[in-house]
Amino acid sequence: MPAVLFDFSGTLFRVESAESWLRAALAGTGTTLDEPELVRTARALEAAGALPGGAAPARIPDHLAAVWEDRDRSRELHRAAYTGLSRQVPLPSPRLHDALYDRHMTPAAWTPYPDAAEVLRTLRGRGVAVGIVSNIGWDLRPVFREHGLDRYVDTYVLSYEHGVQKPDPRLFATACAALGAEPRDTLMVGDSRRADGGAAALGCGVHFVDHLPVAERPDGLRPVLDLVG
């Protein structure tokens, strides 16, 4: 049986902007910032890499280096890594660091790419098995359910649930086994050449998409349909 494995962030879904993320956390905690300060703070958080799924950190502080390297192996490491980065930015309330982290785990923080539903639906119609393989520290299944895409997914293989993170071939092997698919009949689709490219070591095909804002990538997933019979 042919199968397709998809990455989550930057592949099927895109996280909200840093400004939208900060606004939501401020509202949730009853904290206020004037508009110029809000914009400056959002930019500082983005530069720090504090938004999971957003821009990569410009620099990892020395005291976070080890945690950052293994951040996707557990819930605790993931939270520690990203709240550690947000703490590099002065915020009006210490509660905001956890509020920001909690916000990014909500379905409202994520938007599917415009062609995600079409591609997943078409694959399902062709009898192609679909799995999600993600380096992540929290359960993304509610995001798929809220956006109506869970019905097209046969298995989720999440790094924190297995203590293994991409590019380790074991994560892709777990997904193939769950789908009953041979690696040679499986395509991995992702936005990271390093992480998602690890599937090639197992014998999977690999196809990369660009990690762009949703409005700038209306049909980046459609070539997958031509690659899978």
Side-chain angles (χ1 to χ4, degrees):
M1 174 191 293
V4 181
L5 307 177
F6 288 95
D7 173 51
F8 167 58
S9 174
T11 299
L12 289 175
F13 284 83
R14 170 82 180 209
V15 76
E16 65 188 331
S17 69
E19 190 173 311
S20 171
W21 174 57
L22 177 57
R23 288 183 189 279
L26 289 168
T29 58
T31 311
T32 59
L33 282 175
D34 63 45
E35 190 65 18
E37 185 62 22
L38 188 152
V39 172
R40 283 194 297 270
T41 301
R43 288 175 180 166
L45 287 165
E46 185 171 26
L51 172 58
R59 185 185 71 84
I60 303 297
D62 291 343
H63 72 281
L64 289 177
V67 172
W68 180 259
E69 188 65 24
D70 290 332
R71 67 192 180 280
D72 296 313
R73 295 187 190 275
S74 74
R75 288 181 184 269
E76 295 76 17
L77 288 170
H78 197 267
R79 181 181 284 270
Y82 283 101
T83 57
L85 289 174
S86 74
R87 287 189 174 94
Q88 307 306 300
V89 179
L91 297 178
S93 168
R95 293 182 301 152
L96 277 168
H97 300 292
D98 280 315
L100 285 166
Y101 186 84
D102 292 341
R103 165 65 186 184
H104 104 275
M105 294 188 289
T106 65
W110 296 88
T111 301
Y113 280 93
D115 55 347
E118 173 198 343
V119 168
L120 292 175
R121 183 172 57 248
T122 302
L123 291 173
R124 171 55 56 89
R126 293 180 183 178
V128 177
V130 170
I132 306 302
V133 182
S134 177
N135 277 353
I136 200 165
W138 51 277
D139 186 4
L140 52 71
R141 294 172 182 86
V143 177
F144 279 78
R145 287 196 294 270
E146 181 70 21
H147 290 281
L149 300 186
D150 180 67
R151 71 191 76 175
Y152 306 122
V153 178
D154 299 293
T155 193
Y156 296 87
V157 178
L158 311 181
S159 60
Y160 82 97
E161 293 182 337
H162 297 272
V164 175
Q165 59 190 23
K166 299 181 289 188
D168 193 316
R170 289 177 292 174
L171 212 60
F172 306 107
T174 298
C176 288
L179 296 175
E182 293 294 329
R184 65 176 178 272
D185 299 322
T186 301
L187 178 68
M188 176 66 206
V189 182
D191 66 302
S192 170
R193 279 163 172 74
R194 179 181 178 274
D196 301 311
L202 193 66
C204 300
V206 182
H207 176 70
F208 297 110
V209 295
D210 294 322
H211 189 154
L212 294 170
V214 166
E216 296 177 24
R217 212 195 75 192
D219 54 6
L221 291 166
R222 288 196 182 121
V224 172
L225 299 177
D226 296 325
L227 296 171
V228 181

